[in-house]
Amino acid sequence: IMASTAAGKQRIPKVAKVKNKAPAEVQITAEQLLREAKERELELLPPPPKQKITDAEELNDYKLKKRKGFEDNIRKNRTVISNWIKYAQWEESLKEVQRARSIYERALDVDHRNITLWLKYAEMEMKNRQVNHARNIWDRAITILPRVNQFWYKYTYMEEMLGNIAGCRQVFERWMEWEPEEQAWHSYINFELRYKEVDKSRTLVMVHPEVKNWIKYAHFEEKHGYIARARKVFERAVEFFGEEYISENLSVAFARFEEKQKEFERVRVIYKYALDRIPKQQAQELFKNYTVFEKRFGDRRGIEDVIVSKRRFQYEEEVKASPHNYDAWFDYLRLVESDTDADTVREVYERAIANIPPIQEKRHWRRYIYLWIDYALYEELEVKDPERTRQVYQACLELIPHKKFTFAKIWLLYGQFEIRQKNLQNARRGLGTAIGKCPKNKLFKGYIELELQLREFDRCRKLYEKYLEFSPENCTTWIKFAELEAILGDTDRARAIFELAIGQPRLDMPEVLWKSYIDFEIEQEEYDNTRGLYKRLLQRTQHVKVWISYGQFELSIDSDDRIQRCRQIYEEANKSMQSCEEKEERLMLLESWRDFEDEFGSFANKERVQKLLPEKVKKRRKITAEDGSDAGWEEYYDYIFPEDAANQPNLKLLAMAKMWKKQHPDTQILCKYQYLMSCYG
């Protein structure tokens, strides 16, 4: 082994040493190397020789070789989709559709968002007349990449070529749910028109409400002879854009349409309306068309009158300068409501409500929402148009972002409006939707109050149940629910509701709930149940007011042993509160006991309670500042109970010292000490 290693070492050539290390006369830069490499790429290589295959074995060898080459290319770089496509197309050229399909599926596992890959895959299936496979691929493509319009166009074209009109329409409907670009909608409309489905074309929703689309819509109606519908489309377009965003092109198209219909007065009104609202520098074409119209069918004085008589109101200028100044809109609306017709008022309202607050925060919407309320009330009370009022309420409710905040006032006003229209079903549907979307305490209360007025007690029960699921800690709801059952005479249900309520782990006002439960049992004259409730409550809290209320309850019962029961409760309370740190509460209990004994007790009982009352003592304590430094002393009053004084000798010593001082005011301190020591013998 060592010999072979030595021989191997001898065979390794030595590296030649560079003797001349001076730079070469001709320097080659990196840029030159890259340029030469690029030029050599363009050199034409001789084509490979054509290979003729004569038998099956040679064909299989050829296939194996080609497949191995394709697989090697894929293995080197899986992300190059062109390698996959070439591989699949080669298999397709050999009529190996199943293999080509497998290759496309493998490629989709690598990059399922490649548009070319999906297109080639589907085109292969269509070439080979595999219709169901092609449908499957298109369905998968539009599911994964719904925003690629090319998939939808080819899918609908395939279905139409196959004569599957219903399937093509279904694909179009799925496409329209994604609200694509304008051309997609026009393709759908043209498809329906090819099959004489004019009504279906009309019902398509305008997702792109630009001026040109409104004009196309109107021309479509006019072309098919629906003059009234075309006029309605123009009117809807004008209402949609409002006074602030009225378009010159729309006004000109509307006026030309009316001119074709020989409605010259309507043409004049349209031109005047547009000229009053569009700035002069933006209305050159409009002015030109109006001038031509007046030359043909009127006089030039009409144009001059329109231009000269433009009104510039203070409110109009103010709302233009600050569209989100809702107070200015309120003043403006109040003015137009008193002086103008309903159509003008509606236009101003539409302009006002179009100024949606830019920030979705409730504090920015509080003033804005009253524009909708005033609008709805105006339509209902002044114009007497319930259908339009309903539309106003529905538009407002659709506008509010209920996932972030809502306005219970709007929901309740809508429900009350439907009740006034004797449409109870709509009212319930609206309030039910409100509770489902954005439950609030005010909504539940208003809905329950409505059903109570209608005497629908079963619905009230269901609403209370939903309310308590939403807010189980709300004691007021529990109390109102139980009161409803008590009014209906179902005391067992009321008692069960109270029991569920006091069993909740978290309550906002538990003391009110317990008091209502106790009052309910007293009203039902179930005194044993009431005593049980007091005892359960005292297990949870030892508050002095509970003890006093318990004693007063026993005193209020018309029985022979009521005084004895009340006294016993006071004794238990005093014994229980001896360890209480709040001495004021203990004093409150003893004062209540004293008042009771003064009215119903004997002299011995009065003396006994009097001896339990504490002594009020003034004391001093140190005050510490926030930074920990000494801030001085303060005086405060403390209460010393006889039981506490008996348990603490120093308190007893202090009391005896005070007594001695009264008896011997001139004796020295030593005598005081000797006297005290003799007392303790």
Side-chain angles (χ1 to χ4, degrees):
I1 295 170
M2 292 176 63
S4 63
T5 306
K9 288 183 178 179
Q10 291 176 0
R11 286 195 295 269
I12 297 174
K14 293 182 180 180
V15 179
K17 293 182 180 180
V18 179
K19 295 181 180 180
N20 185 8
K21 296 184 179 180
E25 295 180 1
V26 179
Q27 295 291 319
I28 300 175
T29 62
E31 181 182 358
Q32 184 178 354
L33 291 173
L34 292 173
R35 186 170 61 252
E36 289 179 359
K38 193 68 178 174
E39 289 173 356
R40 289 179 181 177
E41 283 182 1
L42 301 176
E43 293 179 2
L44 296 175
L45 297 175
K50 292 184 179 181
Q51 184 178 3
K52 293 184 179 181
I53 299 172
T54 58
D55 58 0
E57 185 178 354
E58 191 176 356
L59 176 62
N60 291 333
D61 291 340
Y62 168 73
K63 288 181 181 179
L64 182 62
K65 182 180 177 182
K66 290 290 288 184
R67 283 173 183 148
K68 187 176 183 303
F70 282 123
E71 292 290 347
D72 289 341
N73 289 337
I74 290 170
R75 196 180 306 107
K76 289 175 185 176
N77 194 345
R78 291 169 55 85
T79 59
V80 179
I81 301 300
S82 60
N83 292 337
W84 293 95
I85 295 175
K86 290 176 183 177
Y87 189 7
Q89 288 176 341
W90 180 78
E91 292 286 0
E92 183 189 358
S93 67
L94 298 177
K95 305 300 180 182
E96 294 284 352
V97 178
Q98 190 62 35
R99 284 181 174 274
R101 191 177 293 134
S102 175
I103 293 163
Y104 277 120
E105 292 293 340
R106 288 168 58 199
L108 289 174
D109 289 339
V110 174
D111 186 5
H112 65 278
R113 303 189 70 82
N114 190 289
I115 298 173
T116 306
L117 190 60
W118 286 104
L119 293 173
K120 295 291 185 182
Y121 191 6
E123 286 172 2
M124 181 201 75
E125 298 290 1
M126 289 191 292
K127 281 183 199 174
N128 291 278
R129 301 180 182 277
Q130 300 292 328
V131 176
N132 289 331
H133 281 285
R135 284 191 181 121
N136 185 20
I137 293 164
W138 289 128
D139 279 328
R140 289 165 59 193
I142 63 178
T143 303
I144 296 172
L145 300 170
R147 292 296 181 188
V148 179
N149 292 332
Q150 197 172 1
F151 292 161
W152 296 97
Y153 283 124
K154 286 184 175 291
Y155 193 5
T156 53
Y157 180 74
M158 183 191 79
E159 294 291 356
E160 190 174 2
M161 289 297 100
L162 292 172
N164 186 10
I165 306 305
C168 184
R169 184 175 289 114
Q170 187 178 5
V171 175
F172 268 120
E173 290 293 340
R174 288 174 59 188
W175 191 6
M176 297 307 110
E177 290 176 1
W178 289 94
E179 298 183 2
E181 60 186 13
E182 298 174 21
Q183 186 57 42
W185 291 90
H186 292 316
S187 299
Y188 190 12
I189 292 170
N190 293 333
F191 163 76
E192 296 291 0
L193 291 177
R194 282 197 295 272
Y195 297 97
K196 311 300 181 183
E197 295 287 350
V198 179
D199 292 335
K200 287 185 179 293
S201 303
R202 184 180 295 115
T203 55
L204 293 179
V205 181
M206 292 189 66
V207 178
H208 301 281
E210 285 88 3
V211 172
K212 60 181 181 180
N213 293 332
W214 285 103
I215 295 173
K216 285 181 181 179
Y217 187 12
H219 289 167
F220 162 79
E221 297 288 0
E222 183 183 4
K223 179 180 177 182
H224 290 86
Y226 298 102
I227 304 302
R229 287 181 180 272
R231 183 176 289 117
K232 187 65 176 177
V233 171
F234 276 119
E235 291 172 356
R236 282 173 55 195
V238 173
E239 290 179 6
F240 176 80
F241 289 105
E243 293 186 0
E244 292 187 6
Y245 305 102
I246 187 170
S247 168
E248 180 186 23
N249 294 333
L250 179 64
S251 302
V252 171
F254 194 5
R256 286 177 177 173
F257 164 77
E258 295 292 356
E259 186 177 341
K260 289 179 185 177
Q261 310 307 319
K262 309 298 182 182
E263 296 284 349
F264 302 127
E265 284 301 320
R266 291 178 65 90
V267 176
R268 191 171 285 109
V269 169
I270 291 167
Y271 278 125
K272 289 181 179 180
Y273 176 86
L275 287 171
D276 281 341
R277 288 157 179 81
I278 299 177
K280 186 176 180 180
Q281 62 272 16
Q282 300 177 10
Q284 299 299 325
E285 189 68 23
L286 184 68
F287 184 81
K288 179 180 176 181
N289 282 276
Y290 189 24
T291 305
V292 172
F293 168 76
E294 288 292 349
K295 285 181 178 179
R296 293 176 60 189
F297 304 103
D299 53 1
R300 191 176 182 82
R301 185 176 297 177
I303 306 172
E304 297 173 353
D305 291 343
V306 170
I307 298 173
V308 172
S309 64
K310 286 184 179 180
R311 296 177 297 136
R312 300 296 182 190
F313 294 109
Q314 177 184 358
Y315 290 128
E316 185 69 33
E317 293 298 323
E318 190 172 351
V319 297
K320 283 183 179 179
S322 179
H324 293 95
N325 184 3
Y326 300 121
D327 292 327
W329 281 110
F330 286 128
D331 296 337
Y332 188 16
L333 288 164
R334 197 175 300 114
L335 175 68
V336 297
E337 282 182 15
S338 60
D339 291 340
T340 56
D341 58 345
D343 292 336
T344 306
V345 176
R346 281 174 181 154
E347 291 172 5
V348 177
Y349 266 118
E350 293 292 338
R351 291 171 54 198
I353 61 179
N355 297 298
I356 305 171
I359 302 174
Q360 290 189 353
E361 294 181 8
K362 191 167 184 177
R363 58 191 180 91
H364 295 286
W365 286 62
R366 292 187 186 277
R367 294 292 293 163
Y368 169 73
I369 211 67
Y370 277 97
L371 287 172
W372 287 94
I373 294 174
D374 290 350
Y375 191 7
L377 293 176
Y378 173 78
E379 292 287 353
E380 181 184 3
L381 302 177
E382 301 294 334
V383 187
K384 311 291 185 184
D385 189 347
E387 186 59 36
R388 192 173 180 86
T389 307
R390 185 176 292 109
Q391 293 174 4
V392 171
Y393 276 121
Q394 291 173 352
C396 177
L397 292 173
E398 290 176 2
L399 181 66
I400 298 172
H402 300 292
K403 291 184 178 179
K404 296 185 177 180
F405 59 84
T406 189
F407 291 93
K409 184 187 294 292
I410 290 290
W411 291 103
L412 294 174
L413 285 173
Y414 178 46
Q416 293 164 5
F417 160 73
E418 293 291 1
I419 292 294
R420 288 193 294 272
Q421 302 303 317
K422 299 180 180 180
N423 196 339
L424 182 59
Q425 191 66 26
N426 278 359
R428 283 175 173 156
R429 186 183 298 114
L431 292 173
T433 303
I435 291 174
K437 279 186 176 180
C438 43
K440 287 182 67 176
N441 291 335
K442 192 174 180 181
L443 275 173
F444 278 108
K445 290 177 182 177
Y447 197 178
I448 290 169
E449 183 65 27
L450 173 65
E451 295 294 352
L452 280 176
Q453 292 175 359
L454 297 172
R455 300 296 186 266
E456 293 286 349
F457 300 116
D458 289 336
R459 289 182 177 272
C460 290
R461 287 190 177 110
K462 291 179 182 178
L463 287 173
Y464 270 122
E465 291 172 3
K466 294 288 185 183
Y467 194 179
L468 292 172
E469 288 177 8
F470 165 68
S471 178
E473 72 278 357
N474 193 331
C475 290
T476 306
T477 309
W478 288 103
I479 294 168
K480 292 289 185 183
F481 193 8
E483 286 177 355
L484 172 65
E485 297 294 350
I487 292 171
L488 297 176
D490 198 341
T491 56
D492 292 336
R493 285 178 64 94
R495 188 174 289 112
I497 290 166
F498 274 123
E499 287 293 336
L500 284 173
I502 62 177
Q504 295 299 314
R506 186 165 60 92
L507 295 169
D508 55 357
M509 294 185 296
E511 66 280 358
V512 178
L513 179 63
W514 279 95
K515 185 178 183 304
S516 299
Y517 193 5
I518 290 169
D519 292 343
F520 166 74
E521 293 291 1
I522 293 173
E523 186 179 350
Q524 301 298 322
E525 298 182 359
E526 294 287 347
Y527 301 129
D528 291 336
N529 291 346
T530 308
R531 292 188 185 97
L533 284 175
Y534 271 116
K535 291 177 182 177
R536 289 164 61 187
L537 180 57
L538 289 170
Q539 290 175 359
R540 299 190 180 195
T541 178
Q542 292 289 324
H543 199 277
V544 63
K545 290 186 178 181
V546 179
W547 285 107
I548 294 172
S549 175
Y550 191 9
Q552 291 174 351
F553 158 69
E554 291 290 358
L555 191 61
S556 64
I557 299 175
D558 188 9
S559 63
D560 297 335
D561 58 344
R562 63 192 184 99
I563 295 174
Q564 185 61 31
R565 282 179 176 274
C566 182
R567 185 176 291 115
Q568 184 179 357
I569 289 168
Y570 276 118
E571 290 175 355
E572 292 178 5
N574 184 43
K575 188 182 298 183
S576 174
M577 298 191 69
Q578 284 182 0
S579 59
C580 180
E581 295 181 358
E582 296 293 334
K583 295 184 177 181
E584 287 82 1
E585 293 186 1
R586 191 174 172 188
L587 176 62
M588 189 187 305
L589 175 69
L590 291 173
E591 288 176 349
S592 177
W593 191 3
R594 182 189 60 189
D595 295 340
F596 162 72
E597 295 293 355
D598 288 342
E599 185 175 356
F600 300 101
S602 61
F603 179 76
N605 290 330
K606 294 177 185 178
E607 286 295 325
R608 179 189 170 201
V609 176
Q610 192 67 32
K611 290 179 181 179
L612 294 174
L613 290 172
E615 181 182 359
K616 190 175 184 181
V617 179
K618 183 186 290 187
K619 292 185 178 180
R620 297 173 62 198
R621 59 187 172 195
K622 274 190 176 183
I623 304 175
T624 305
E626 293 181 357
D627 56 356
S629 60
D630 190 3
W633 294 77
E634 70 171 356
E635 292 184 346
Y636 71 98
Y637 287 98
D638 194 10
Y639 296 98
I640 300 174
F641 291 87
E643 296 88 347
D644 299 338
N647 295 330
Q648 299 181 11
N650 54 347
L651 294 176
K652 187 176 181 181
L653 182 64
L654 181 62
M656 293 175 66
K658 287 183 179 179
M659 187 186 301
W660 187 88
K661 184 178 179 181
K662 290 179 182 179
Q663 295 176 0
H664 306 281
D666 299 328
T667 310
Q668 296 298 322
I669 297 174
L670 181 60
C671 297
K672 295 179 184 179
Y673 179 72
Q674 291 174 350
Y675 174 74
L676 293 173
M677 293 301 292
S678 64
C679 291
Y680 279 95

